[in-house]
Protein backbone atom coordinates (compact mmCIF):
# COMPACT_ATOMS: atom_id res chain seq x y z
CA UNK A 1 0.00 0.00 0.00
CA UNK A 2 1.09 3.67 -0.22
CA UNK A 3 3.66 4.63 2.38
CA UNK A 4 2.36 5.95 5.68
CA UNK A 5 3.75 9.41 5.08
CA UNK A 6 1.43 9.99 2.11
CA UNK A 7 -1.74 8.07 3.04
CA UNK A 8 -2.92 7.33 6.56
CA UNK A 9 -4.69 4.17 7.63
CA UNK A 10 -8.17 5.71 7.61
CA UNK A 11 -7.73 6.87 4.01
CA UNK A 12 -6.45 3.45 2.97
CA UNK A 13 -9.59 1.91 4.46
CA UNK A 14 -11.83 4.45 2.72
CA UNK A 15 -10.13 3.94 -0.65
CA UNK A 16 -10.36 0.16 -0.28
CA UNK A 17 -14.10 0.44 0.39
CA UNK A 18 -14.50 2.66 -2.67
CA UNK A 19 -12.67 0.15 -4.88
CA UNK A 20 -14.89 -2.66 -3.62
CA UNK A 21 -17.97 -0.64 -4.57
CA UNK A 22 -16.61 -0.37 -8.10
CA UNK A 23 -16.13 -4.11 -8.46
CA UNK A 24 -15.84 -6.71 -5.70
CA UNK A 25 -13.57 -8.82 -7.92
CA UNK A 26 -10.77 -6.26 -8.02
CA UNK A 27 -7.74 -7.43 -5.99
CA UNK A 28 -6.61 -4.54 -3.79
CA UNK A 29 -2.85 -4.06 -3.64
CA UNK A 30 -0.26 -1.36 -3.09
CA UNK A 31 -0.14 -0.21 -6.72
CA UNK A 32 -3.89 0.11 -7.02
CA UNK A 33 -4.25 2.08 -3.78
CA UNK A 34 -1.47 4.43 -4.85
CA UNK A 35 -3.08 5.08 -8.23
CA UNK A 36 -6.58 5.59 -6.78
CA UNK A 37 -5.23 7.98 -4.15
CA UNK A 38 -3.59 10.00 -6.91
CA UNK A 39 -6.78 9.94 -9.01
CA UNK A 40 -8.73 11.51 -6.15
CA UNK A 41 -6.14 14.21 -5.41
CA UNK A 42 -7.09 17.41 -7.20
CA UNK A 43 -4.44 19.67 -8.71
CA UNK A 44 -5.69 22.50 -6.47
CA UNK A 45 -3.99 20.79 -3.51
CA UNK A 46 -0.62 21.75 -4.96
CA UNK A 47 0.61 18.18 -4.69
CA UNK A 48 2.90 16.90 -7.44
CA UNK A 49 1.03 13.58 -7.56
CA UNK A 50 -2.46 14.60 -8.61
CA UNK A 51 -5.17 13.47 -10.99
CA UNK A 52 -4.05 15.44 -14.05
CA UNK A 53 -2.17 12.72 -15.96
CA UNK A 54 -4.57 9.97 -14.89
CA UNK A 55 -7.49 12.09 -16.09
CA UNK A 56 -5.74 12.49 -19.46
CA UNK A 57 -5.27 8.71 -19.69
CA UNK A 58 -8.79 8.02 -18.42
CA UNK A 59 -10.27 10.09 -21.26
CA UNK A 60 -8.72 7.75 -23.86
CA UNK A 61 -9.50 4.59 -21.89
CA UNK A 62 -13.12 5.62 -21.38
CA UNK A 63 -13.65 6.23 -25.09
CA UNK A 64 -12.16 2.85 -25.99
CA UNK A 65 -14.18 0.99 -23.35
CA UNK A 66 -17.39 2.76 -24.39
CA UNK A 67 -16.69 1.87 -28.03
CA UNK A 68 -16.26 -1.78 -27.05
CA UNK A 69 -19.52 -1.64 -25.06
CA UNK A 70 -21.40 -0.33 -28.10
CA UNK A 71 -19.80 -2.94 -30.35
CA UNK A 72 -20.81 -5.74 -27.96
CA UNK A 73 -24.34 -4.62 -27.13
CA UNK A 74 -25.49 -2.41 -30.03
CA UNK A 75 -23.78 -3.87 -33.07
CA UNK A 76 -26.81 -3.11 -35.25
CA UNK A 77 -26.45 0.66 -34.98
CA UNK A 78 -25.11 2.73 -37.85
CA UNK A 79 -21.72 4.38 -37.44
CA UNK A 80 -23.39 7.76 -37.02
CA UNK A 81 -25.74 6.41 -34.34
CA UNK A 82 -22.77 4.77 -32.59
CA UNK A 83 -20.94 8.09 -32.55
CA UNK A 84 -23.94 9.91 -31.10
CA UNK A 85 -24.46 7.23 -28.45
CA UNK A 86 -20.80 7.22 -27.47
CA UNK A 87 -20.88 10.98 -27.02
CA UNK A 88 -23.47 10.45 -24.28
CA UNK A 89 -21.60 7.53 -22.71
CA UNK A 90 -18.42 9.58 -22.22
CA UNK A 91 -19.89 13.02 -21.55
CA UNK A 92 -18.95 15.13 -18.55
CA UNK A 93 -22.54 15.00 -17.34
CA UNK A 94 -22.50 11.19 -17.48
CA UNK A 95 -19.15 11.04 -15.67
CA UNK A 96 -20.44 13.39 -12.98
CA UNK A 97 -23.51 11.19 -12.48
CA UNK A 98 -21.35 8.08 -12.13
CA UNK A 99 -19.18 9.92 -9.63
CA UNK A 100 -22.23 11.04 -7.68
CA UNK A 101 -23.47 7.44 -7.50
CA UNK A 102 -20.14 6.56 -5.88
CA UNK A 103 -20.22 9.61 -3.58
CA UNK A 104 -16.75 10.16 -4.97
CA UNK A 105 -16.52 13.67 -3.57
CA UNK A 106 -16.27 12.21 -0.06
CA UNK A 107 -12.82 10.81 -0.89
CA UNK A 108 -11.52 13.66 -3.04
CA UNK A 109 -8.65 15.79 -1.74
CA UNK A 110 -9.24 19.40 -2.76
CA UNK A 111 -7.44 22.68 -2.25
CA UNK A 112 -9.18 25.53 -0.48
CA UNK A 113 -10.22 27.29 -3.67
CA UNK A 114 -11.79 24.16 -5.18
CA UNK A 115 -13.56 23.36 -1.91
CA UNK A 116 -15.27 26.74 -1.95
CA UNK A 117 -16.38 26.64 -5.59
CA UNK A 118 -19.81 25.09 -5.31
CA UNK A 119 -20.57 25.77 -8.98
CA UNK A 120 -17.71 23.48 -10.01
CA UNK A 121 -18.79 20.40 -8.04
CA UNK A 122 -20.18 18.56 -11.06
CA UNK A 123 -17.00 19.18 -13.06
CA UNK A 124 -14.83 18.07 -10.13
CA UNK A 125 -16.76 14.79 -9.88
CA UNK A 126 -16.41 14.24 -13.62
CA UNK A 127 -12.66 14.89 -13.53
CA UNK A 128 -12.13 12.53 -10.58
CA UNK A 129 -14.25 9.78 -12.15
CA UNK A 130 -12.28 10.00 -15.37
CA UNK A 131 -9.01 9.90 -13.42
CA UNK A 132 -10.28 6.88 -11.49
CA UNK A 133 -10.79 5.08 -14.80
CA UNK A 134 -7.19 5.92 -15.69
CA UNK A 135 -6.01 4.67 -12.29
CA UNK A 136 -7.74 1.30 -12.72
CA UNK A 137 -6.26 0.85 -16.16
CA UNK A 138 -2.77 1.79 -14.96
CA UNK A 139 -2.86 -0.59 -11.99
CA UNK A 140 -4.69 -3.52 -13.57
CA UNK A 141 -3.48 -3.34 -17.17
CA UNK A 142 -6.78 -4.19 -18.91
CA UNK A 143 -10.35 -2.98 -19.37
CA UNK A 144 -12.29 -5.82 -17.76
CA UNK A 145 -12.76 -4.24 -14.33
CA UNK A 146 -13.74 -1.00 -16.04
CA UNK A 147 -16.37 -2.84 -18.07
CA UNK A 148 -17.74 -4.56 -14.97
CA UNK A 149 -18.02 -1.22 -13.18
CA UNK A 150 -19.40 0.93 -15.99
CA UNK A 151 -21.53 -1.46 -18.05
CA UNK A 152 -24.64 -1.17 -15.80
CA UNK A 153 -24.40 2.63 -16.07
CA UNK A 154 -23.92 2.43 -19.83
CA UNK A 155 -26.92 0.12 -20.24
CA UNK A 156 -29.18 2.58 -18.43
CA UNK A 157 -27.92 5.55 -20.44
CA UNK A 158 -28.03 3.73 -23.77
CA UNK A 159 -31.62 2.64 -23.13
CA UNK A 160 -32.65 6.23 -22.47
CA UNK A 161 -30.74 7.62 -25.46
CA UNK A 162 -32.10 5.06 -27.92
CA UNK A 163 -35.66 5.41 -26.62
CA UNK A 164 -35.72 9.22 -26.92
CA UNK A 165 -32.75 10.24 -29.07
CA UNK A 166 -34.02 13.78 -29.67
CA UNK A 167 -33.70 14.54 -25.96
CA UNK A 168 -29.99 13.75 -26.07
CA UNK A 169 -29.10 15.80 -29.11
CA UNK A 170 -29.32 19.41 -28.06
CA UNK A 171 -28.45 20.85 -31.47
CA UNK A 172 -31.16 18.88 -33.25
CA UNK A 173 -33.79 19.76 -30.66
CA UNK A 174 -32.88 23.46 -30.69
CA UNK A 175 -32.94 23.55 -34.50
CA UNK A 176 -36.36 21.89 -34.58
CA UNK A 177 -37.69 24.42 -32.09
CA UNK A 178 -36.26 27.49 -33.86
CA UNK A 179 -37.50 26.39 -37.26
CA UNK A 180 -40.89 25.54 -35.79
CA UNK A 181 -41.09 29.12 -34.51
CA UNK A 182 -40.10 30.48 -37.93
CA UNK A 183 -36.81 31.83 -36.57
CA UNK A 184 -34.42 30.04 -38.92
CA UNK A 185 -31.32 28.14 -37.82
CA UNK A 186 -29.38 28.68 -34.59
CA UNK A 187 -25.93 30.22 -34.98
CA UNK A 188 -22.94 28.77 -33.12
CA UNK A 189 -19.82 30.87 -32.49
CA UNK A 190 -17.10 28.56 -31.16
CA UNK A 191 -13.56 29.48 -30.15
CA UNK A 192 -10.59 27.62 -28.71
CA UNK A 193 -9.79 28.91 -25.21
CA UNK A 194 -6.61 26.92 -24.66
CA UNK A 195 -4.66 24.00 -26.10
CA UNK A 196 -4.96 21.64 -23.14
CA UNK A 197 -5.64 18.29 -24.80
CA UNK A 198 -8.69 16.68 -23.23
CA UNK A 199 -9.40 19.75 -21.11
CA UNK A 200 -13.07 20.09 -20.22
CA UNK A 201 -13.01 23.83 -21.02
CA UNK A 202 -10.82 23.83 -24.13
CA UNK A 203 -13.55 25.24 -26.39
CA UNK A 204 -16.23 27.84 -25.68
CA UNK A 205 -19.42 28.22 -27.72
CA UNK A 206 -22.10 30.90 -27.81
CA UNK A 207 -25.41 30.04 -29.46
CA UNK A 208 -27.82 32.65 -30.76
CA UNK A 209 -31.00 32.83 -32.79
CA UNK A 210 -31.71 35.89 -34.91
CA UNK A 211 -28.78 37.71 -33.29
CA UNK A 212 -30.14 37.09 -29.78
CA UNK A 213 -27.66 35.32 -27.52
CA UNK A 214 -29.28 32.37 -25.75
CA UNK A 215 -26.51 30.54 -23.90
CA UNK A 216 -22.80 29.86 -23.59
CA UNK A 217 -21.03 26.62 -22.68
CA UNK A 218 -17.65 24.94 -22.81
CA UNK A 219 -16.45 21.49 -23.83
CA UNK A 220 -13.51 19.26 -24.69
CA UNK A 221 -14.15 19.63 -28.42
CA UNK A 222 -15.99 22.03 -30.70
CA UNK A 223 -18.78 19.49 -31.10
CA UNK A 224 -19.16 18.99 -27.35
CA UNK A 225 -19.12 22.74 -26.67
CA UNK A 226 -21.84 23.29 -29.28
CA UNK A 227 -23.97 20.45 -27.90
CA UNK A 228 -23.56 21.81 -24.37
CA UNK A 229 -24.49 25.32 -25.51
CA UNK A 230 -27.58 24.01 -27.31
CA UNK A 231 -28.64 22.06 -24.23
CA UNK A 232 -28.17 25.17 -22.07
CA UNK A 233 -30.23 27.21 -24.53
CA UNK A 234 -33.06 24.68 -24.40
CA UNK A 235 -33.02 24.80 -20.60
CA UNK A 236 -33.21 28.60 -20.73
CA UNK A 237 -36.11 28.45 -23.16
CA UNK A 238 -37.94 25.91 -21.02
CA UNK A 239 -37.52 28.24 -18.06
CA UNK A 240 -39.31 31.09 -19.88
CA UNK A 241 -43.04 31.61 -19.52
CA UNK A 242 -43.34 30.49 -23.14
CA UNK A 243 -40.98 29.91 -26.07
CA UNK A 244 -42.19 33.12 -27.67
CA UNK A 245 -41.14 35.06 -24.60
CA UNK A 246 -37.53 34.33 -25.36
CA UNK A 247 -37.59 35.97 -28.74
Amino acid sequence: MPDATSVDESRIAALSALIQRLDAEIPINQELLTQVDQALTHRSTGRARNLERLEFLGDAVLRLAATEFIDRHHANLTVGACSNLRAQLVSDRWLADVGAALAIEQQMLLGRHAQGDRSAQSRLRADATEALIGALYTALGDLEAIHRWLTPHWHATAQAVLATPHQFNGKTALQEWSQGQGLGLPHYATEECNREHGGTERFRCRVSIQNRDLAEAKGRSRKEAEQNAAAAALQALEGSDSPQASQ
Side-chain angles (χ1 to χ4, degrees):
M1 63 185 138
D3 62 77
T5 61
S6 60
V7 185
D8 61 28
E9 292 298 326
S10 62
R11 181 154 176 79
I12 291 172
L15 295 180
S16 297
L18 176 68
I19 293 167
Q20 288 294 287
R21 292 203 301 275
L22 300 181
D23 177 20
E25 297 181 33
I26 296 178
I28 298 176
N29 55 36
Q30 176 181 340
E31 173 66 11
L32 180 59
L33 285 168
T34 300
Q35 295 296 332
V36 170
D37 181 60
Q38 181 176 343
L40 301 181
T41 301
H42 194 258
R43 60 182 68 87
S44 63
T45 61
R47 299 185 181 186
R49 289 183 59 83
N50 61 56
L51 59 71
E52 197 163 33
R53 294 190 69 83
L54 288 174
E55 181 189 353
F56 175 75
L57 174 62
D59 174 58
V61 173
L62 174 62
R63 291 178 67 84
L64 175 58
T67 302
E68 289 186 348
F69 166 83
I70 294 170
D71 188 56
R72 293 175 184 177
H73 300 282
H74 300 282
N76 60 322
L77 294 179
T78 65
V79 172
C82 287
S83 179
N84 290 334
L85 176 56
R86 187 178 64 183
Q88 301 302 323
L89 300 184
V90 303
S91 70
D92 286 346
R93 180 180 298 181
W94 184 87
L95 282 163
D97 288 344
V98 173
L102 276 176
I104 199 170
E105 65 274 10
Q106 294 180 10
Q107 306 306 330
M108 292 173 60
L109 299 180
L110 303 172
R112 182 176 301 176
H113 177 72
Q115 288 176 351
D117 189 357
R118 303 304 301 174
S119 65
Q121 294 307 302
S122 178
R123 177 172 57 80
L124 291 172
R125 284 196 300 271
D127 290 350
T129 304
E130 196 164 57
L132 185 56
I133 293 168
L136 291 179
Y137 183 77
T138 298
L140 302 176
D142 60 46
L143 298 176
E144 289 312 304
I146 294 167
H147 275 291
R148 290 194 299 268
W149 167 29
L150 297 181
T151 290
H153 297 282
W154 279 329
H155 274 308
T157 301
Q159 182 178 8
V161 170
L162 297 175
T164 55
H166 63 284
Q167 294 183 13
F168 293 86
N169 189 324
K171 291 183 69 175
T172 299
L174 184 61
Q175 177 178 318
E176 290 176 351
W177 178 85
S178 64
Q179 290 183 310
Q181 298 294 321
L183 302 176
L185 296 174
H187 174 71
Y188 297 89
T190 307
E191 60 181 347
E192 188 175 31
C193 302
N194 59 68
R195 295 186 177 276
E196 180 186 355
H197 181 74
T200 58
E201 299 184 350
R202 182 175 178 181
F203 292 90
R204 178 173 58 224
C205 176
R206 296 183 182 89
V207 59
S208 61
I209 296 178
Q210 290 193 338
N211 295 320
R212 183 185 186 280
D213 289 339
L214 294 179
E216 177 181 305
K218 295 181 179 180
R220 300 171 188 270
S221 64
R222 291 182 183 276
K223 181 178 180 180
E224 182 176 284
E226 290 175 0
Q227 288 285 5
N228 290 343
L234 288 167
Q235 289 181 351
L237 292 169
E238 290 171 0
S240 304
D241 291 338
S242 69
Q244 293 293 343
S246 64
Q247 295 180 29

